[in-house]
Amino acid sequence: MRYNKFSATQLFDGYNFLPSGKVLITSAEGVIIDIVDAENAGDDVQFFDGILSPGFINCHCHLELSHLKSAIPQKTGLVNFVQAVMTNRAADAEIKTDAMQQADAQMYNSGIVAIGDICNTADSLPVKQNSKIRWHNFVEVSGFVEATAEKRLKEMIEVASKLSIANCPLSIVPHAPYSVSKKMFSLINALPNNNLITIHNQESEEENKLYQNKEGNFLELYKNLGIDISSFVPSGKTSLQTWLPYFTNNQRIIAVHNTFTNVKDVDFQIAHCPLPVAYCLCPNANLYIENTLPPIDLLINNNCNIVLGTDSLASNTQLNMLEEIKTIQQQFPQIELQTLLQWATSNGAAALQMNDKFGSFEKGKQPGIVLIAKELESSKRIL
Ligand SMILES: [Zn+2]
């Protein structure tokens, strides 16, 4: 049997930086066999300048929006962003497919091995069928009008059945609290075998205003879209405290963005939800859209389970996990690199329920091996 033997300036195993002098041994295909001391590793050890890490897990992406790179103005707020995406997203199938193929290749080359991907259509199917990345398709349902909930859900179940031939795990999920009616939440909650949920959560303060007092810019959005929300009754609570109790079947939940999540929301989640919610941070998208960042220190202080995502090229200039890490480091320099890498690897793999294969250098896994260059300059897949 042919082995690969890797050593580097630093070896990160998905949880910790290992003491220096360790060698990672894998099969030719990259299955982890062992981590041994250099003196027991024998010959032919390849040394790399930089950090060797398991492949990155991107917990939030929208591959099908890849053609919208640079199409949406920055820092205009979420409501304007949502409207701009709706206006701009139509394009020729060929343009969309080319953009998705490029994004898929760039993500693979930069070390992303698995992705939680939001799907509004089955457009991404041909790209995913030829992709070397492992996908979890989150087929997203929206509809703030109760009367059309069943019809809208049925349409998206059809999209899901088209995507299911890509042989990827799949869930039906709500888009966001401001775009999904209570009725739709209850229909999604009742779906069988739909255990992994993701939702855009508290991406703007307007979402909280809507639920607390039926106020804010979303009322303007509904008006522009001709949506009558006269029957919507505000809960008087924040968004998270309203929607989280709609899930009653022990689903695992990945809450994305959390830009305007506060300490009471986190307390509520911990008290309410025995299974931990994963808080997915997409800092570059938050800066792109709202020019703000989530309360990451608050999430850390409350031992929240944190994972990372890139969001889409509609709200990011690149789909690169290292760039997300660097943005957090700049704003929160007290967070150790080891912690940030845990979010990008083992935490993400567990959140997407792919930790049997990905997220760490543990025996039997095939997590992909990524070289992170000095000073976090760049990352690339080496196996
Ligand atoms: Zn998103």
Side-chain angles (χ1 to χ4, degrees), residues 60-62 65 118 140 175 200 203 256-257 282 311-312 315:
H60 185 74
C61 187
H62 304 238
L65 298 182
I118 304 288
E140 187 175 77
H175 166 244
H200 295 83
E203 195 175 351
V256 181
H257 292 303
C282 308
D311 215 342
S312 75
S315 62

Side-chain angles (χ1 to χ4, degrees), residues 291-325:
N291 198 25
T292 186
L293 287 172
I296 302 179
D297 39 2
L298 165 78
L299 299 176
I300 292 174
N301 292 341
N302 286 280
N303 295 319
C304 292
N305 178 25
I306 300 176
V307 299
L308 300 179
T310 60
D311 215 342
S312 75
L313 284 172
S315 62
N316 206 334
T317 55
Q318 71 266 296
L319 305 179
N320 184 308
M321 295 288 282
L322 202 57
E323 294 301 322
E324 305 300 323
I325 287 174

Side-chain angles (χ1 to χ4, degrees), residues 71-147:
I72 314 288
Q74 297 196 23
K75 308 187 200 306
T76 63
L78 183 65
V79 173
N80 290 322
F81 175 82
V82 168
Q83 292 191 101
V85 170
M86 291 169 94
T87 315
N88 286 282
R89 76 177 286 166
D92 289 347
E94 202 180 322
I95 291 174
K96 288 194 210 170
T97 303
D98 280 356
M100 286 189 277
Q101 271 164 351
Q102 274 185 40
D104 173 68
Q106 281 168 5
M107 285 196 277
Y108 178 85
N109 292 333
S110 70
I112 293 172
V113 293
I115 301 179
D117 192 54
I118 304 288
C119 309
N120 303 114
T121 68
D123 290 352
S124 59
L125 179 63
V127 179
K128 286 170 180 164
Q129 281 173 320
N130 294 311
S131 174
K132 289 184 273 184
I133 294 172
R134 177 82 170 147
W135 302 83
H136 185 112
N137 288 320
F138 291 115
V139 176
E140 187 175 77
V141 187
S142 60
F144 207 59
V145 178
E146 305 245 315

Side-chain angles (χ1 to χ4, degrees), residues 147-272:
T148 58
E150 266 135 0
K151 181 171 165 281
R152 297 289 290 266
L153 181 61
K154 201 167 155 248
E155 287 165 5
M156 295 320 287
I157 288 173
E158 276 167 33
V159 169
S161 74
K162 283 184 199 160
L163 277 165
S164 66
I165 55 173
N167 202 21
C168 303
L170 182 145
S171 329
I172 309 272
V173 301
H175 166 244
Y178 62 81
S179 65
V180 172
S181 64
K182 191 173 174 182
K183 168 90 180 283
M184 184 74 89
F185 272 111
S186 84
L187 292 174
I188 295 170
N189 180 49
L191 289 171
N193 307 317
N194 201 49
N195 174 50
L196 182 58
I197 298 291
T198 192
I199 181 169
H200 295 83
N201 175 57
Q202 294 174 307
E203 195 175 351
S204 81
E205 187 56 40
E206 304 308 308
E207 187 178 308
N208 286 327
K209 286 185 195 165
L210 175 71
Y211 275 94
Q212 285 168 316
N213 300 311
K214 200 175 179 177
E215 286 174 353
N217 289 348
F218 278 114
L219 301 186
E220 203 58 30
L221 177 68
Y222 303 136
K223 210 169 131 194
N224 293 346
L225 297 174
I227 297 171
D228 174 13
I229 64 147
S230 53
S231 61
F232 172 74
V233 181
S235 62
K237 300 174 190 164
T238 64
S239 168
L240 181 141
Q241 294 182 45
T242 307
W243 66 259
L244 189 57
Y246 294 156
F247 291 100
T248 58
N249 291 316
N250 285 328
Q251 294 96 335
R252 308 299 297 241
I253 293 173
I254 302 174
V256 181
H257 292 303
N258 316 300
T259 331
F260 293 87
T261 301
N262 67 32
V263 67
K264 285 187 179 156
D265 294 330
V266 171
D267 287 347
F268 178 87
Q269 178 260 304
I270 292 166
H272 177 85

